[in-house]
Amino acid sequence: MKLITFLHSGKERTGVLTDMGILPFQGEKSLLSVIKSGVIPPFTGESLSMEDVRLLAPISRPEGDIVCLGMNFRDHTVEAARFDPVMKRENKAVYFSKRTPEATPPGGKIPAHRDLTQMLDYEAEVAFVIGRDAANVSPEEAREFVFGYTILNDVSARDLQTAHKQFYFGKSLDGFAPMGPCIVTADEFAYPPDIPVRCFVNGEKRQDGSTRQWVFSIADVLCELTRGMTLRSGTIISMGTPAGVGMGFSPPRYLKPGDTVRCEADGIGVLENTVE
Ligand code: MG
């Protein structure tokens, strides 16, 4: 199932995207509430077309910060360390969080924040959403905690992330979390997932990888983190980006107002946003 959140006649609604159109759910629960309840609501019986609606991020207001992995693709680790030698990955996962009061919808604008950054960058990623409260998860049971997958563009201000020693500020400016177009339930993918993910800037392919290249797997991450912290259902964990980000080029190729960033993941869809 491809679960979506959308605006229809001025109201925020949820439903399923199918080949026959959008089938809205009954009720006014957010997708986050639906995931937390563990129950997929009944349909209203309507069928809407994409022209009738405006897509929002599937979880437009996450409950907490998005949990992110840094340098979880070997090829990206090399380019990151070239940019800033501090960014070398040792044999432990790199975790950070991304403050996201509101995720940017498909088609939404990425603010350039020119007063704060001259090094605006993109990172196409596949994120997973936890479907049940998770504590002390074992490797064997990790997959049962995966509700589904979505695309996240982990937009980054490289100068801020370097200046402040930690990623938090440089990853968390308003509009830095484009997400969507949907959450695809985990049953539609193999486990561990092998989802090709690509990024295009103004039509030029910059990133091309697959989730099978993750250095640390979903099971690694869930087992490690939940040994010491409970991850509530609805938590979003973004698993890192392949090589080809702007800072990896020589000279770097950062985003500027007017640029279009298109993130694609096979089986999930397309997330396209314009910088302004
Ligand atoms: Mg990232």
Side-chain angles (χ1 to χ4, degrees):
M1 268 187 306
K2 290 185 161 142
L3 302 173
I4 55 171
T5 301
F6 55 91
L7 277 178
H8 177 240
S9 302
K11 275 179 60 178
E12 191 170 320
R13 303 180 70 182
T14 56
V16 174
L17 185 60
T18 73
D19 293 341
M20 288 108 64
I22 296 165
L23 309 179
F25 289 139
Q26 288 181 21
E28 296 186 356
K29 273 188 171 175
S30 68
L31 214 47
L32 180 61
S33 306
V34 167
I35 292 166
K36 291 173 86 66
S37 73
V39 180
I40 297 294
F43 296 113
T44 61
E46 304 159 85
S47 173
L48 306 174
S49 75
M50 285 301 275
E51 289 74 52
D52 300 328
V53 309
R54 186 153 66 81
L55 282 186
L56 299 175
I59 297 179
S60 47
R61 289 172 296 279
E63 197 167 59
D65 293 353
I66 296 172
V67 179
C68 295
L69 272 85
M71 294 170 275
N72 201 29
F73 283 73
R74 289 186 203 288
D75 52 2
H76 174 60
T77 303
V78 173
E79 67 178 0
R82 207 164 48 222
F83 174 78
D84 180 357
V86 170
M87 288 200 265
K88 63 175 191 292
R89 190 181 54 74
E90 301 188 346
N91 54 2
K92 289 285 185 188
V94 174
Y95 300 112
F96 64 93
S97 76
K98 186 173 181 78
R99 187 154 186 82
T100 310
E102 184 150 6
T104 302
K109 304 286 189 205
I110 300 170
H113 293 281
R114 287 300 231 196
D115 52 333
L116 283 170
T117 179
Q118 303 303 313
M119 298 186 180
L120 184 71
D121 212 344
Y122 51 87
E123 294 188 353
E125 308 196 356
V126 171
F128 71 96
V129 183
I130 294 180
R132 297 160 44 190
D133 289 357
N136 290 311
V137 173
S138 70
E140 298 72 37
E141 59 187 6
R143 77 181 290 180
E144 297 165 27
F145 290 83
V146 181
F147 176 84
Y149 301 93
T150 191
I151 304 172
L152 184 90
N153 183 350
D154 179 19
V155 179
S156 307
R158 301 299 183 198
D159 33 11
L160 290 183
Q161 96 180 41
T162 308
H164 291 272
K165 305 296 179 209
Q166 294 201 2
F167 296 167
Y168 192 69
F169 187 30
K171 296 279 192 175
S172 299
L173 301 185
D174 289 344
F176 272 20
M179 187 198 301
C182 55
I183 294 172
V184 185
T185 49
D187 57 294
E188 299 211 1
F189 295 96
Y191 181 88
D194 180 2
I195 305 172
V197 56
R198 296 172 293 276
C199 183
F200 299 81
V201 178
N202 301 328
E204 179 194 351
K205 194 198 280 180
R206 296 281 185 90
Q207 295 184 279
D208 191 355
S210 164
T211 61
R212 79 180 124 75
Q213 297 169 281
W214 288 337
V215 176
F216 295 98
S217 67
I218 288 172
D220 293 334
V221 169
L222 280 181
C223 296
E224 181 160 72
L225 291 179
T226 65
R227 281 180 68 189
M229 73 168 83
T230 302
L231 294 172
R232 296 285 180 210
S233 110
T235 299
I236 301 160
I237 301 187
S238 199
M239 292 293 285
T241 203
V245 300
M247 71 170 171
F249 288 89
S250 181
R253 302 175 74 183
Y254 296 116
L255 297 172
K256 56 185 190 311
D259 285 349
T260 296
V261 187
R262 176 186 169 99
C263 302
E264 300 178 348
D266 292 358
I268 303 176
V270 171
L271 172 65
E272 187 169 296
N273 300 91
T274 304
V275 179
E276 74 167 4

